């Protein structure tokens, strides 16, 4: 269904077009420069807001994670989606926990790097800390199903740097202490940052899809996270459009419709 075919205001956007987070103040210019592309984008971006199963507040949590992730760091969209989450009833503590969960993305440097180093350097573990290593692995074994897709990677870290693993595990477990967000929602956040276009960490994605399903999530809910993530590719236009306008104007290369507006 096209954007212009809908009656009333879209659930995706309760504000006027110029305030859309995905394009900032350059939506008007895109509307002039390539209205068909804009229409196609709006159909894509609005789809998960039409009849999707996720609560609108949770959708904004996912968008906060997608825009604030270290692989994106889109402050304009982060601000917009934090504001929308608060407008939809989110608390300060909930949004802070979304940001904390998103920051855990950094652990992928370790879960990806350690196994490769261990293989190339032929590391075989820290024999001096065998007892400590066994204790850590025994504790982790209790929740192995939640780490199953990256279990071997975690074991490699523990066997070679047990002290570092304790710090890393303490960091990634901290957001769980206060139980502010529902565990299933937390998995949606992780799915979002792992499936984000600028990250695409498939090992972690498999872990968190599996975890979400174990916690009672439906495939339709998880698909909606994918749909929200797919819309973030528009940032190429959001970042490039103002530069294109500036450089084209310097060279008198703006289309007539945009030149008149400037």
């Amino acid at each position: 269904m096209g954007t212009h075919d809908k009656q009333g205001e879209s659930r995706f956007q309760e504000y006027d077009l110029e305030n859309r987070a995905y394009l900032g103040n350059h939506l008007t210019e895109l509307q002039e420069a390539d209205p068909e592309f804009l229409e196609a984008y709006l159909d894509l971006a609005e789809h998960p807001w039409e009849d999707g199963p996720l609560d609108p507040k949770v959708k904004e949590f996912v968008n906060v994670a997608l825009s604030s992730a270290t692989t994106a760091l889109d402050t304009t969209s982060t601000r917009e989606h934090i504001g929308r989450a608060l407008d939809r009833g989110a608390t300060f503590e909930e949004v802070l926990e979304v940001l904390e969960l998103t920051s855990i993305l950094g652990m992928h440097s370790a879960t990806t790097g350690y196994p490769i180093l261990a293989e190339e350097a032929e590391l075989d573990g820290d024999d001096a800390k065998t007892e400590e290593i066994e204790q850590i692995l025994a504790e982790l074994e209790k929740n192995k199903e939640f780490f199953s897709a990256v279990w071997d990677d975690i074991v490699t870290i523990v066997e070679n740097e047990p002290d570092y693993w304790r710090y890393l595990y303490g960091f990634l477990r901290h957001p769980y202490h206060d139980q502010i967000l529902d565990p299933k929602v937390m998995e949606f956040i992780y799915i979002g940052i792992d499936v984000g276009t600028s990250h695409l960490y498939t090992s972690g994605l498999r872990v968190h899809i599996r975890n979400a399903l174990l916690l009672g999530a439906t495939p339709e809910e998880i698909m909606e996270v994918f749909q929200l993530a797919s819309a973030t590719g528009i940032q190429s236009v959001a970042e490039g459009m103002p530069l294109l306008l500036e450089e084209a104007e310097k060279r008198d290369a703006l289309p007539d419709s945009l030149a008149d507006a400037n």
Side-chain angles (χ1 to χ4, degrees):
M1 179 183 293
T3 304
H4 297 315
D5 296 329
K6 299 169 186 164
Q7 294 185 357
E9 191 172 44
S10 166
R11 289 180 58 201
F12 169 70
Q13 178 58 43
E14 297 175 351
Y15 311 94
D16 59 57
L17 286 178
E18 292 183 2
N19 288 326
R20 281 184 188 272
Y22 302 95
L23 290 173
N25 294 326
H26 303 288
L27 182 63
T28 301
E29 287 88 345
L30 183 61
Q31 200 163 18
E32 293 291 335
D34 195 342
E36 292 182 358
F37 177 76
L38 174 62
E39 183 76 11
Y41 162 69
L42 294 181
D43 286 342
L44 171 71
E46 291 181 1
H47 177 73
W49 292 86
E50 292 172 353
D51 299 303
L54 293 180
D55 183 273
K57 183 176 74 171
V58 173
K59 295 178 189 183
E60 291 301 348
F61 288 161
V62 172
N63 279 327
V64 169
L66 286 165
S67 57
S68 67
T70 55
T71 50
L73 294 179
D74 179 356
T75 54
T76 299
S77 290
T78 300
R79 181 187 296 276
E80 182 72 16
H81 290 301
I82 285 175
R84 291 184 190 181
L86 294 170
D87 289 343
R88 294 183 183 279
T91 65
F92 176 93
E93 291 77 12
E94 286 177 323
V95 177
L96 177 58
E97 185 156 290
V98 171
L99 296 173
E100 291 176 351
L101 290 166
T102 305
S103 74
I104 291 169
L105 181 149
M107 75 171 291
H108 298 162
S109 298
T111 55
T112 301
Y114 268 84
I116 295 173
L117 174 61
E119 182 178 348
E120 294 300 320
E122 298 181 349
L123 302 179
D124 56 4
D126 188 343
D127 294 336
K129 296 186 176 181
T130 299
E131 185 175 342
E132 180 182 359
I133 291 168
E134 290 177 351
Q135 180 183 0
I136 293 172
L137 292 177
E139 286 296 317
L140 289 174
E141 187 80 30
K142 299 174 184 177
N143 295 308
K144 184 176 180 179
E145 64 180 345
F146 282 94
F147 297 111
S148 54
V150 291
W151 177 255
D152 291 342
D153 300 337
I154 290 173
V155 170
T156 300
I157 298 173
V158 174
E159 289 180 341
N160 289 282
E161 289 266 11
D163 293 336
Y164 169 72
W165 170 256
R166 289 191 186 279
Y167 295 132
L168 182 61
Y169 192 61
F171 176 68
L172 70 91
R173 292 300 302 173
H174 177 78
Y176 291 83
H177 292 169
D178 297 328
Q179 299 182 330
I180 293 171
L181 294 176
D182 182 272
K184 186 174 72 170
V185 172
M186 297 170 84
E187 293 300 331
F188 292 150
I189 301 302
Y190 287 139
I191 290 170
I193 60 176
D194 281 349
V195 81
T197 310
S198 53
H199 192 46
L200 295 175
Y201 180 56
T202 55
S203 295
L205 179 60
R206 185 176 297 278
V207 168
H208 295 298
I209 288 175
R210 188 173 296 168
N211 292 352
L213 293 170
L214 287 170
L215 290 167
T218 66
E220 290 75 19
E221 287 175 318
I222 296 171
M223 288 178 197
E224 196 159 279
V225 175
F226 300 161
Q227 293 167 11
L228 291 167
S230 72
T232 61
I234 199 65
Q235 290 305 338
S236 299
V237 178
E239 294 296 320
M241 186 73 177
L243 303 179
L244 173 59
L245 290 169
E246 291 174 10
E247 296 303 316
E249 186 173 17
K250 289 178 186 177
R251 296 162 175 79
D252 294 323
L254 284 173
D256 292 341
S257 59
L258 292 174
D260 293 341
N262 288 278

